[in-house]
């Protein structure tokens, strides 16, 4: 039996995403949670055992992806739109745009969602170290690559886009632009592409001809995908102000998903913030044996928002580091001082001083939890 051989680049740190690396990441199991322990058990551990335990606990907390009502809604919207494209008539399909300010976590959300889509499509084959295959034609076996992730570089041109697409599958990248484009058509069929995600599309600038050409090329690729029931997802910062939304033809097919940091400007926003903190608390409270329920969602809710301004990345780091500080100091809860010590992003540091005198978050219920050291 003949075999379609796909050549993959040698592994190296910092390489561009390709089908093999995507498969490796999608099949990597999350770090296992450490076993919760009582204060007595923690204090009875040897110094070396306790150090290893705390290191594991810290790495596990830093690996957690926190959720909000908005992110759950965004993932469901992505799934629904892709399903609609899959089942609708062939042709150019709706383009899905995920937009948010910088540092909100849009790429992380889309990547996590896309890897789950990948695992659902290839099912049990995710457990194999090799990229899954299928019989594309009689006597021909090809890699099955349902998800493609590309990062649109600054000042991108059509050739650069095509080359990155071909490199994702390990194909040769030489030839004229129209030849490279023709290869994309064949690749979509040969490897059963269902989802193309293009990150950093905010870098397109319609004042430059090359950017206009790339945008027109994206429209063409979307048509190629749509004829096969596949979808294109564009990800970028504040896309509403850029080339994607300004182009009439593209805007006519856009279905936008807007993300942002958690806001506390309304009672609904406050409730969502507390719901987010409550879900985090459910995860971390077993590892804070001296903390009472409600310590995050009630007692520390205003301070957590003041320090992070509702950005989940900063919130995740803050809670993990504060819990680590409390463990090293043998208090096993999270105190005000523990929250003030971790160094967050420059964005958070610059924003926090301006917020120190703002009105505190009003909780939807009286906060009764307090932070108690043993």
């Amino acid at each position: 039996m003949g075999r379609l051989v796909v050549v993959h680049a040698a592994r190296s740190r910092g390489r561009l995403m390709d089908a093999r690396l995507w498969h490796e990441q999608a099949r990597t199991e999350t770090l296992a949670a450490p076993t919760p322990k009582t204060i007595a058990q923690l204090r009875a551990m040897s110094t070396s055992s306790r150090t290893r335990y705390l290191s594991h606990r810290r790495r596990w907390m830093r690996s957690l992806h926190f959720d909000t009502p908005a992110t759950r809604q965004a993932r469901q919207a992505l799934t629904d739109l892709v399903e609609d494209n899959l089942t609708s008539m062939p042709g150019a399909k709706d383009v899905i745009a995920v937009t948010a300010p910088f540092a909100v976590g849009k790429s992380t959300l889309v990547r996590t969602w896309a890897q789950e889509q990948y695992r659902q499509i290839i099912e049990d084959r995710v457990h194999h170290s090799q990229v899954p295959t299928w019989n594309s034609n009689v006597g021909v076996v090809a890699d099955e690559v349902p998800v493609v992730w590309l990062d649109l570089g600054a000042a991108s041109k059509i050739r650069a886009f095509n080359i990155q697409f071909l490199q994702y599958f390990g194909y040769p990248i030489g030839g004229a632009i129209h030849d490279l484009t023709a290869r994309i058509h064949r690749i979509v069929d040969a490897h059963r592409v269902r989802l193309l995600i293009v990150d950093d599309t905010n870098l397109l600038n319609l004042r430059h001809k090359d950017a206009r050409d790339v945008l027109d090329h994206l429209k063409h690729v979307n048509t190629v995908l749509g004829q096969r029931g596949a979808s294109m997802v564009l990800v970028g910062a504040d896309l509403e102000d850029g080339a994607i939304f300004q182009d009439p033809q593209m805007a006519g097919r856009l279905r936008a998903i807007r993300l942002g940091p958690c806001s506390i400007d309304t009672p609904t926003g406050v409730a969502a913030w507390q719901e987010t903190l409550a879900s985090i608390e459910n995860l971390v409270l077993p590892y804070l044996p001296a903390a009472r329920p409600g310590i995050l969602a009630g007692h520390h809710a205003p301070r957590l928002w003041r320090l992070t301004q509702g950005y989940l990345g900063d919130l995740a780091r803050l809670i993990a580091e504060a819990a680590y500080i409390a463990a090293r100091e043998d208090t096993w809860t999270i105190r005000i001082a523990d929250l003030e010590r971790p160094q967050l992003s420059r964005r958070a540091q610059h924003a926090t001083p301006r917020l120190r005198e703002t009105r505190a978050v009003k909780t939807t219920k009286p906060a009764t939890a307090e932070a108690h050291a043993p």
Side-chain angles (χ1 to χ4, degrees):
M1 178 181 292
R3 179 177 174 83
L4 176 61
V5 179
V6 180
V7 180
H8 295 283
R11 297 182 184 181
S12 62
R13 293 187 64 183
R15 74 179 187 189
L16 289 173
M17 180 65 68
D18 61 20
R20 184 182 295 272
L21 180 58
W22 181 269
H23 181 73
E24 291 173 358
Q25 292 179 352
R27 66 186 299 270
T28 300
E29 295 184 1
T30 56
L31 185 65
T35 303
K37 297 182 182 297
T38 65
I39 294 176
Q41 289 173 323
L42 290 162
R43 289 175 176 168
M45 297 172 72
S46 67
T47 301
S48 59
S49 295
R50 183 161 150 170
T51 298
R52 287 193 299 271
Y53 178 82
L54 292 184
S55 177
H56 181 190
R57 195 192 74 157
R58 185 188 191 190
R59 286 185 287 111
W60 172 74
M61 284 192 180
R62 291 292 292 121
S63 72
L64 296 175
H65 292 292
F66 296 157
D67 223 349
T68 71
T71 58
R72 288 192 292 272
Q73 184 179 5
R75 283 199 302 272
Q76 187 60 54
L78 281 165
T79 301
D80 291 344
L81 289 168
V82 168
E83 181 65 24
D84 290 345
N85 280 347
L86 180 63
T87 57
S88 61
M89 294 294 293
K93 301 295 181 77
D94 288 341
V95 177
I96 306 164
V98 180
T99 175
F102 287 106
V104 164
K106 56 194 172 298
S107 296
T108 299
L109 181 145
V110 175
R111 185 184 297 270
T112 303
W113 167 82
Q115 288 188 336
E116 180 58 31
Q117 293 291 305
Y118 179 84
R119 287 188 288 268
Q120 290 180 12
I121 293 170
I122 67 172
E123 297 179 323
D124 290 342
R125 292 174 294 169
V126 75
H127 301 299
H128 300 293
S129 59
Q130 300 299 315
V131 175
T133 59
W134 74 297
N135 295 319
S136 61
N137 288 298
V138 176
V140 177
V141 178
D143 284 349
E144 183 172 359
V145 185
V147 177
V148 180
W149 182 286
L150 305 182
D151 295 288
L152 192 67
S156 286
K157 299 182 179 182
I158 294 176
R159 173 178 288 278
F161 177 92
N162 286 348
I163 286 174
Q164 189 179 164
F165 190 97
L166 295 171
Q167 285 179 327
Y168 191 92
F169 298 86
Y171 277 87
I173 58 175
I177 290 178
H178 65 273
D179 292 331
L180 299 182
T181 301
R183 289 181 203 169
I184 290 178
H185 293 209
R186 295 192 294 270
I187 287 172
V188 170
D189 287 326
H191 299 286
R192 303 180 85 174
V193 175
R194 295 264 297 274
L195 185 61
L196 170 62
I197 301 167
V198 185
D199 199 7
D200 292 330
T201 50
N202 53 288
L203 296 177
L204 285 175
N205 186 342
L206 285 183
R207 289 176 296 180
H208 300 147
K209 180 181 182 300
D210 289 333
R212 290 182 178 275
D213 291 342
V214 171
L215 186 58
D216 289 338
H217 188 56
L218 288 175
K219 299 175 197 174
H220 172 72
V221 172
N222 181 56
T223 300
V224 173
L225 293 168
Q227 290 168 347
R228 294 152 177 85
S231 294
M232 176 185 290
V233 177
L234 307 179
V235 186
D238 297 321
L239 294 181
E240 299 92 334
D241 301 326
I244 303 298
F245 280 65
Q246 292 175 16
D247 181 85
Q249 185 179 0
M250 181 66 83
R253 296 194 177 279
L254 275 179
R255 297 296 179 266
I257 297 173
R258 175 73 183 180
L259 298 173
C262 296
S263 171
I264 57 169
D265 294 336
T266 64
T268 300
V270 172
W273 177 242
Q274 290 185 287
E275 180 182 337
T276 299
L277 294 178
S279 66
I280 297 171
E281 191 174 300
N282 288 337
L283 291 173
V284 304
L285 199 61
Y287 303 94
L288 298 168
R292 292 183 180 180
I295 187 172
L296 299 182
H299 186 65
H300 287 315
R303 188 174 301 274
L304 288 168
W305 194 90
R306 178 178 64 78
L307 292 169
T308 67
Q309 303 89 54
Y311 282 75
L312 291 186
D314 287 311
L315 178 65
R317 175 178 293 277
L318 177 59
I319 291 175
E321 292 306 305
Y324 185 62
I325 290 170
R328 286 185 313 183
E329 297 185 356
D330 199 37
T331 62
W332 304 105
T333 185
I334 293 181
R335 303 161 300 177
I336 292 174
D338 301 328
L339 293 174
E340 297 289 348
R341 287 167 60 180
Q343 183 175 8
L344 301 180
S345 68
R346 292 292 295 171
R347 183 212 59 76
Q349 292 178 53
H350 280 292
T352 298
R354 297 196 300 270
L355 295 166
R356 288 191 182 276
E357 302 303 323
T358 59
R359 178 172 55 87
V361 181
K362 289 185 178 179
T363 57
T364 55
K365 292 188 291 187
T368 58
E370 295 290 341
H372 288 278

